[in-house]
């Protein structure tokens, strides 16, 4: 949005005619000041929703149906129960909010088709952008002492979370503070989506990955992000385009980030059978996350007081460390033995997934997300994400010999069941449905499948046949490649979409001519990031609860662009060498 669009949207929100009671008319009498009960609910309301920034925007956002006193009373009664009951009935509390939530209409982006460019850009153009992105990552590391990532709240919420999903979350999440924030955020969504404030909070954008234009962005550091920045810098060095100074700086940054992943972020837990394991926590204890000062003061009030390890961060950290040549003893642990305890068996342990927001897919064989810490805490309940399971496969392929996967029937079975889970997603086409994914876009799933496929293809042919005797990987490859070529790159893209497309196309050995749309998109948008970097910040991953929280940043975009362009460059050079 430009300045005039922002000003116009703000003016419409501030001067709209009020049609009924507002969010504040409902919540102020119950949550603004009270004695006893759950103190967090009121703190969250005052901090996240009743603050001086949102009040003017939503003051005139009223709902006509709440003129009915009984409906208004039912909402206030629900909030009172959430505030005062020692063991709240979250289904009853959530029902009046869920009914309102089902009145809003949100859709996933549907970019219009775009004609393919006439030619593939030249190598010199591609190499110039690779150097620019590599320099940006190293400059950011030098300035900050790490490469930051950012989180931003989009209060319009996620298109896949309606009333039904709200009730799932309220019952499946464990931490009361997280339930509180989910309840109130989703109540606020209704007033935002049905008022002129919607245009300001959720403006349209180009492509699929959402730009992170929101003014409040929370800087932080996590092993998950460091793992992918490690891969990006490894890719930069492997291109041979880094100067000698940049190569040395990259190696120092890689060593530091691997240490952050395996040492600083290590957490000891127990597998479900009691075996001790060291895993990687989603967020290391303070001061290591390097939160921006504002968020470090209010994160507890927003309901984010407890962090636990997760299967995805562990897999990605182990993978990046393996690629970097680390010999840390933690890597000798056969993670598949640990993951087996979090693997879903249909009809037996599906209750492992307590927040089944993507219950349109068959979970059998999939690995759940969150790991219980030693205290047994699981604040987010548990869910199951397809892309996470690709990361488990990828790290298993990279450590196939180290973990004796082929020689250990139980480990091989765990891998094959995950492959079966992925094959069913391809057979049904569910991998291309945003609803199937908890934390990622289908386009990112495609890129990560390419990454996983490359690790599989690097194995000896005999190992490939043992792991995948039915050819599931080739089948999935065909489905993913068809989606990328016929839908993703055939439509309007932004830079992040284009980077994901290149990663998928490059790893899946697509024809180099198919790279043209994504390459043109990236090269033509170079400089869009202004002073913050070569490109803007876009949605890398997200949370759907307690509200839509996007994670990304200019450095993230540079990392993905660099990796995508490096793969495209390699394919183009191989084509030129063969001709």
């Amino acid at each position: 949005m430009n300045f005039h669009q922002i000003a116009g949207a703000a003016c419409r929100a501030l001067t709209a005619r009020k049609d009924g009671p507002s969010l504040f008319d409902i919540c102020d009498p119950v949550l603004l000041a009270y004695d006893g009960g759950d103190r967090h609910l009121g703190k969250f309301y005052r901090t996240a929703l009743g603050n001086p920034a949102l009040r003017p925007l939503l003051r005139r956002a009223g709902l006509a149906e709440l003129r009915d006193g009984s409906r208004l009373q039912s909402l206030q009664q629900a909030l009172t129960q959430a505030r005062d009951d020692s063991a709240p009935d979250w289904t009853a509390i959530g029902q009046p909010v869920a009914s309102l939530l089902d009145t809003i209409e949100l859709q996933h982006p549907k970019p219009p088709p775009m004609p393919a460019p006439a030619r593939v850009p030249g190598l010199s153009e591609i190499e110039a952008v690779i150097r620019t992105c590599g320099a940006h990552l190293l400059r950011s590391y030098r300035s900050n002492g790490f490469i930051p990532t950012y989180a931003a709240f989009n209060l319009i919420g996620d298109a896949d979370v309606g009333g039904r999903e709200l009730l799932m979350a309220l019952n499946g999440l464990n931490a009361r503070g997280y339930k509180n924030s989910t309840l109130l955020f989703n109540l606020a969504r209704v007033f935002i989506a049905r008022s002129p404030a919607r245009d300001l909070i959720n403006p349209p954008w180009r492509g699929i990955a959402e730009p992170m234009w929101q003014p409040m962005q929370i800087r932080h550091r996590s092993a998950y992000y460091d793992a992918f920045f490690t891969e990006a810098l490894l890719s930069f060095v492997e291109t041979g385009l880094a100067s000698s100074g940049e190569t040395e700086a990259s190696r120092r940054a890689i060593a530091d980030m691997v240490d952050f992943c395996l040492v600083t972020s290590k957490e000891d837990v127990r597998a479900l059978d009691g075996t001790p394991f060291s895993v990687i926590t989603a967020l290391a204890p303070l001061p290591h996350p390097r939160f921006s000062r504002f968020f470090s003061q209010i994160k507890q009030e927003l309901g984010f007081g407890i962090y636990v390890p997760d299967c995805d961060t562990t897999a990605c950290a182990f993978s990046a460390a393996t690629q970097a040549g680390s010999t840390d003893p933690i890597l000798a642990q056969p993670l598949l033995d640990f993951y087996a305890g979090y693997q879903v068996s249909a009809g037996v342990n599906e209750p492992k997934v307590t927040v089944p927001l993507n219950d349109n897919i068959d979970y059998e064989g999939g690995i759940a997300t969150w790991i219980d810490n030693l205290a047994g805490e699981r604040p987010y309940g548990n869910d199951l994400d397809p892309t996470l399971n690709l990361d488990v496969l990828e790290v298993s392929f990279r450590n196939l010999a180290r973990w004796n996967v082929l020689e250990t029937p139980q480990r091989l079975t765990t891998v094959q069941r995950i492959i079966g889970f992925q094959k069913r997603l391809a057979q049904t086409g569910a991998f291309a449905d945003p609803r199937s994914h908890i934390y990622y876009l289908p386009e990112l799933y495609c890129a990560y499948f390419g990454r996983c496929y490359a690790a599989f293809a690097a194995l000896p042919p005999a190992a490939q046949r043992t792991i995948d005797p039915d050819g599931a990987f080739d089948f999935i490859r065909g489905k993913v490649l068809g989606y990328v070529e016929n839908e993703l790159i055939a439509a309007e893209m932004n830079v992040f979409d284009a980077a994901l497309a290149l990663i998928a196309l490059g790893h899946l050995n697509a024809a180099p001519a198919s790279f043209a749309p994504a390459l043109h998109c990236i090269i033509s948008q170079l400089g869009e990031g202004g002073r913050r970097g070569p490109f803007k910040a876009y949605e890398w991953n997200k949370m759907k609860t307690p509200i839509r929280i996007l994670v990304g940043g200019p450095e993230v975009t540079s990392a993905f662009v660099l990796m995508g362009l490096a793969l495209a460059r390699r394919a183009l050079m191989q084509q030129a060498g063969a001709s």
Side-chain angles (χ1 to χ4, degrees):
M1 294 181 75
N2 59 38
F3 173 78
H4 294 291
Q5 290 171 322
I6 292 172
C11 182
R12 287 189 294 274
L14 293 171
T15 60
R17 187 173 71 88
K18 188 177 179 183
D19 291 329
S22 70
L23 174 70
F24 310 116
D25 294 328
I26 297 167
C27 295
D28 280 359
V30 181
L31 300 178
L32 206 54
Y34 59 91
D35 295 321
D38 178 22
R39 307 306 301 167
H40 172 265
L41 190 66
K43 279 187 177 180
F44 176 84
Y45 171 65
R46 293 189 296 272
T47 302
L49 301 177
N51 60 68
L54 270 184
R55 276 190 180 272
L57 284 179
L58 298 182
R59 180 175 60 88
R60 306 189 67 80
L63 303 183
E65 60 263 49
L66 295 185
R67 292 174 184 166
D68 178 345
S70 63
R71 296 199 69 174
L72 178 62
Q73 185 178 8
S74 70
L75 281 169
Q76 291 183 325
Q77 179 62 32
L79 294 176
T80 302
Q81 290 173 331
R83 184 192 71 187
D84 294 344
D85 290 0
S86 58
D89 180 344
W90 288 103
T91 298
I93 289 169
Q95 191 57 62
V97 179
S99 297
L100 284 176
L101 200 56
D102 285 335
T103 67
I104 68 175
E105 294 183 3
L106 299 176
Q107 291 185 334
H108 294 287
K110 295 180 180 178
M114 293 287 286
R119 68 172 186 88
V120 174
L123 280 177
S124 61
E125 295 176 278
I126 295 169
E127 290 174 348
V129 181
I130 290 174
R131 289 190 177 99
T132 298
C133 290
H136 176 220
L137 294 177
L138 293 174
R139 184 170 64 251
S140 180
Y141 179 84
R142 187 170 59 249
S143 299
N144 297 289
F146 69 107
I147 302 178
T149 306
Y150 300 83
F153 293 78
N154 185 339
L155 297 182
I156 199 72
D158 195 274
D160 293 319
V161 179
R164 174 177 173 269
E165 290 74 25
L166 169 63
L167 296 179
M168 283 181 182
L170 290 176
N171 284 287
L173 299 168
N174 285 358
R176 185 161 181 172
Y178 209 67
K179 292 173 185 272
N180 289 342
S181 55
T182 299
L183 177 70
L184 289 181
F185 266 142
N186 279 276
L187 178 58
R189 288 177 65 195
V190 182
F191 292 89
I192 293 168
R194 292 176 54 183
S195 77
R198 174 180 181 145
D199 296 334
L200 185 65
I201 289 173
N202 194 57
W205 65 87
R206 175 190 181 97
I208 296 173
E210 183 174 342
M212 294 175 60
W213 75 273
Q214 290 87 345
M216 189 187 84
Q217 296 187 9
I218 302 159
R219 186 199 69 229
H220 60 298
R221 183 182 191 183
S222 164
Y224 181 80
Y225 315 141
D226 273 28
F228 279 90
F229 288 133
T230 293
E231 290 194 18
L233 289 180
L234 285 169
S235 179
F236 184 40
V237 172
E238 288 167 4
T239 64
L241 297 174
S243 68
S244 58
E246 288 173 330
T247 298
E248 183 57 34
S250 295
R251 288 174 176 154
R252 288 195 301 269
I254 288 166
D256 171 65
M257 290 189 289
V258 168
D259 183 75
F260 182 82
C261 288
L262 302 188
V263 179
T264 304
S265 301
K266 182 176 75 170
E267 183 169 344
D268 294 326
V269 299
R270 290 192 179 276
L272 297 190
D273 65 2
T275 305
F277 265 88
S278 293
V279 296
I280 309 303
T281 191
L283 207 63
L286 292 172
H288 302 295
R290 306 291 291 269
F291 280 127
S292 50
R293 184 177 301 176
F294 173 73
F295 187 67
S296 65
Q297 295 173 351
I298 67 167
K299 69 183 182 72
Q300 184 74 37
E301 296 178 4
L302 288 174
F304 302 104
I306 301 172
Y307 290 88
V308 291
D310 69 273
C311 292
D312 209 6
T313 299
T314 301
C316 293
F318 274 47
S319 174
T322 300
Q323 293 176 66
S326 173
T327 58
D328 193 297
I330 194 175
L331 299 177
Q333 297 176 115
L335 276 183
L336 285 167
D337 292 352
F338 180 82
Y339 286 145
Y342 287 86
Q343 191 166 37
V344 170
S345 296
V348 178
N349 60 356
E350 283 200 10
K352 276 189 174 67
V353 182
T354 66
V355 189
L357 300 181
N358 57 345
D359 62 354
N360 59 302
I361 65 174
D362 179 3
Y363 295 144
E364 205 289 321
I367 306 295
T369 302
W370 298 101
I371 297 171
D372 295 1
N373 62 19
L374 282 177
E377 294 170 311
R378 193 190 298 170
Y380 314 119
N382 224 325
D383 48 49
L384 195 152
D385 186 87
T387 308
L388 176 157
N389 280 264
L390 292 175
D391 292 335
V392 172
L393 288 176
E394 192 266 353
V395 73
S396 299
F397 298 152
R398 290 194 182 278
N399 290 277
L400 198 74
R402 175 185 273 160
W403 295 347
N404 295 313
V405 175
L406 300 183
E407 298 80 10
T408 311
Q410 179 185 344
R411 294 171 193 165
L412 181 59
T413 298
T414 299
V415 167
Q416 290 176 330
R417 289 181 61 205
I418 301 173
I419 294 172
F421 166 70
Q422 300 292 351
K423 185 177 181 180
R424 289 192 300 276
L425 290 169
Q427 286 172 326
T428 61
F431 77 93
D433 182 356
R435 179 183 165 83
S436 303
H437 302 272
I438 298 292
Y439 299 107
Y440 305 97
L441 295 165
E443 291 66 32
L444 194 129
Y445 173 91
C446 294
Y448 280 31
F449 174 75
R451 175 175 169 269
C452 181
Y453 181 88
F456 174 77
L459 298 174
Q464 294 182 37
R465 289 192 295 271
T466 300
I467 292 167
D468 182 21
D470 299 325
F473 263 90
D474 283 339
F475 175 79
I476 301 169
R477 174 187 177 273
K479 294 293 186 179
V480 169
L481 202 52
Y483 174 74
V484 174
E485 291 180 333
N486 299 324
E487 297 190 41
L488 177 56
I489 64 174
E492 181 184 68
M493 291 181 287
N494 59 45
V495 168
F496 204 77
D497 300 336
L500 298 179
L502 286 179
I503 292 171
L505 294 169
H507 279 315
L508 298 179
N509 303 315
S514 68
F515 300 167
L519 289 172
H520 273 282
C521 175
I522 290 171
I523 290 170
S524 67
Q525 296 301 311
L526 180 64
E528 68 171 11
R531 292 181 297 174
R532 296 193 65 189
F535 302 102
K536 294 178 181 178
Y538 293 92
E539 169 191 355
W540 172 14
N541 55 69
K542 62 178 178 290
M543 301 285 285
K544 292 186 175 182
T545 61
I547 193 66
R548 183 170 168 82
I549 304 176
L550 308 178
V551 177
E555 290 85 355
V556 171
T557 307
S558 286
F560 276 86
V561 167
L562 192 161
M563 291 188 286
L565 292 181
L567 289 167
R569 174 180 179 266
R570 184 178 68 187
L572 291 168
M573 291 176 70
Q574 288 172 347
Q575 181 186 55
S579 61

